[in-house]
Amino acid sequence: AGHWEETLRALQLGAASAERLRDPHLAARLSHLLGKIALQDGRCELAEASLEVALSLSHATRQAQEATSAARLLAEVNLLAGDLSGALTKLRESERVAHSLSSPQETWRSRFREGQVHAASGDHRSALERWQTLEPGSENKITEAISALYLEMASSAIYLGEWEKTRQYLSKMTDDERLIKRVLSASVEALDEGDDPSQVLTEAIISTQQNREVGQWLALQDLRTFIVLWGNTEEDASRSELLTLSEARLGMGLSVRVATGARDRLGLIRVYRQLALLYNQRGDREASAAALAMSNAWVDEVNGLSQERAKGLESSAWDEISRELNPEVEERAKQEVKEVVHQWSKTPLSASH
């Protein structure tokens, strides 16, 4: 933690000195770096103040990449602080900044990230609408991230139950050996045809864990649980044998810890929703209601997100689970969530490493 403090202090002094010397380029770069590091350490107020300065100076001096990057990082600050509406607003602002500075690459990146945030909140339809405007053949000529684009589109299509679209998006990816592509291909065959995706899913989960790719690891656990839950809503009982409810529950339990450590509110909402359905499938109504109460409490901590939008997987079980909720369970969940958020506000991320 001491190194973080020293680094942040040095950058603050450097940025202040650059402003006194009337060097806006240097002040913008140092403010941008200060904001980025403060964000990585979970210091939202310092990050926001520094990035606002970086955005203003970079825009004034027409530094397109620095200006749009600062705006996108401000969106990440909002996400970390639980402000989904603010994050989406900042991403649209970064797109306008990029457009005003004639930077199609940065416009592409901002719109791509906006789609990712929609998807993370459970709004896969809006995510696909944003990403479809980035496909090759439109006005943009950006091709270096096409595989990443189609990978995200395929992921959202899976959650919408659109198997053929998922296959189409995967077929457009240029990187055929990518592990996550094989995961999605195996997953859509599992969902549509009943094939067993367990081997490739396990391989991918282990790989992301070894590489400490937290976001990918959480996404894979979420996908595995989605496959289990979808299989158990189908009439074909053999589908439930592909991946067991117990394996999925264990993965989601670990996901709670990982998402809490990453301070990922949207991730926690998804994880607890999945857990509610998993416990319900196992016949544990009390645990199912407690998980739903935790998810609802986290939704209340996110500005701009409704309970309906956060629901995730469509299931007739939601009404059944909701009937098990009671004021005591809901109050306990709200209190637990507020304690976690309070602890986050007092502790920089570096202190937990």
Side-chain angles (χ1 to χ4, degrees):
H3 292 302
W4 283 87
E5 294 288 352
E6 292 171 9
T7 301
L8 291 169
R9 193 176 304 112
L11 286 170
Q12 284 177 299
L13 291 172
S17 297
E19 287 196 68
R20 285 197 301 272
L21 294 172
R22 299 182 184 278
D23 187 339
H25 291 279
L26 179 59
R29 286 196 295 271
L30 290 174
S31 295
H32 183 280
L33 183 57
L34 172 60
K36 184 177 181 179
I37 293 177
L39 172 61
Q40 291 172 348
D41 201 26
R43 305 177 190 228
C44 291
E45 291 184 6
L46 176 58
E48 183 176 24
S50 303
L51 290 167
E52 289 286 6
V53 171
L55 173 59
S56 178
L57 292 173
S58 299
H59 197 193
T61 54
R62 301 193 64 77
Q63 300 174 75
Q65 185 173 352
E66 290 79 1
T68 50
S69 174
R72 282 196 298 272
L73 286 173
L74 280 165
E76 303 305 322
V77 173
N78 280 313
L79 274 183
L80 189 61
D83 187 357
L84 176 62
S85 294
L88 291 170
T89 297
K90 281 299 180 185
L91 286 167
R92 287 189 289 270
E93 180 183 340
S94 71
E95 188 177 338
R96 289 193 296 271
V97 169
H99 185 73
S100 70
L101 297 176
S102 303
S103 179
Q105 291 90 346
E106 295 304 322
T107 301
W108 196 100
R109 293 186 182 103
S110 295
R111 194 175 301 177
F112 178 71
R113 180 57 183 150
E114 184 186 347
Q116 287 182 313
V117 173
H118 278 299
S121 73
D123 189 356
H124 293 283
R125 187 66 63 191
S126 293
L128 280 174
E129 288 173 359
R130 297 303 288 161
W131 288 328
Q132 283 164 354
T133 66
L134 299 176
E135 291 190 78
S138 57
E139 73 280 0
N140 74 82
K141 304 295 181 183
I142 312 305
T143 59
E144 72 270 18
I146 292 303
S147 285
L149 172 66
Y150 284 124
L151 183 65
E152 295 284 4
M153 294 177 78
S155 298
S156 279
I158 277 186
Y159 284 103
L160 292 170
E162 298 175 350
W163 316 138
E164 283 307 312
K165 282 189 177 181
T166 302
R167 293 186 179 98
Q168 289 172 15
Y169 294 140
L170 290 173
S171 71
K172 294 178 181 181
M173 289 180 62
T174 57
D175 187 354
D176 291 332
E177 297 304 313
R178 199 165 177 177
L179 177 59
I180 190 65
K181 179 181 179 180
R182 290 195 286 120
V183 169
L184 290 176
S185 296
S187 298
V188 75
E189 296 310 319
L191 291 161
D192 196 25
E193 304 292 340
D195 294 348
D196 187 352
S198 56
Q199 182 176 347
V200 68
L201 267 170
T202 300
E203 180 185 346
I205 288 170
I206 292 172
S207 175
T208 54
Q209 184 174 350
Q210 290 174 339
N211 296 326
R212 298 190 176 185
E213 298 169 348
V214 174
Q216 284 276 24
W217 187 89
L218 285 169
L220 288 167
Q221 293 286 1
D222 188 75
L223 178 61
R224 179 169 69 169
T225 305
F226 176 78
I227 294 171
V228 172
L229 290 169
W230 184 278
N232 277 274
T233 61
E234 296 291 313
E235 293 181 0
D236 183 359
S238 65
R239 289 172 179 254
S240 65
E241 298 175 3
L242 299 180
L243 294 168
T244 69
L245 290 170
S246 295
E247 288 177 324
R249 186 197 59 75
L250 178 61
M252 286 290 98
L254 291 171
S255 294
V256 169
R257 295 170 59 186
V258 173
T260 301
R263 303 186 182 184
D264 182 358
R265 286 172 169 84
L266 296 179
L268 284 164
I269 291 166
R270 293 195 307 276
V271 170
Y272 278 115
R273 291 275 171 172
Q274 301 281 47
L275 276 171
L277 290 172
L278 285 169
Y279 281 123
N280 185 68
Q281 290 279 3
R282 289 164 58 91
D284 191 340
R285 294 185 176 182
E286 185 176 339
S288 178
L292 178 58
M294 287 295 293
S295 179
N296 291 344
W298 277 111
V299 170
D300 290 341
E301 289 291 327
V302 177
N303 178 45
L305 183 63
S306 65
Q307 298 290 351
E308 185 63 29
R309 181 178 174 184
K311 185 174 290 185
L313 179 65
E314 290 294 327
S315 174
S316 58
W318 288 123
D319 289 340
E320 178 184 338
I321 299 170
S322 297
R323 284 195 293 271
E324 297 296 323
L325 289 173
N326 61 65
E328 183 181 348
V329 170
E330 292 178 309
E331 184 58 35
R332 189 162 57 241
K334 290 178 181 178
Q335 187 60 37
E336 184 175 336
V337 167
K338 288 188 181 301
E339 288 175 3
V340 172
V341 172
H342 178 65
Q343 188 63 33
W344 285 352
S345 68
K346 296 194 306 177
T347 311
L349 276 165
S350 55
S352 60
H353 298 324

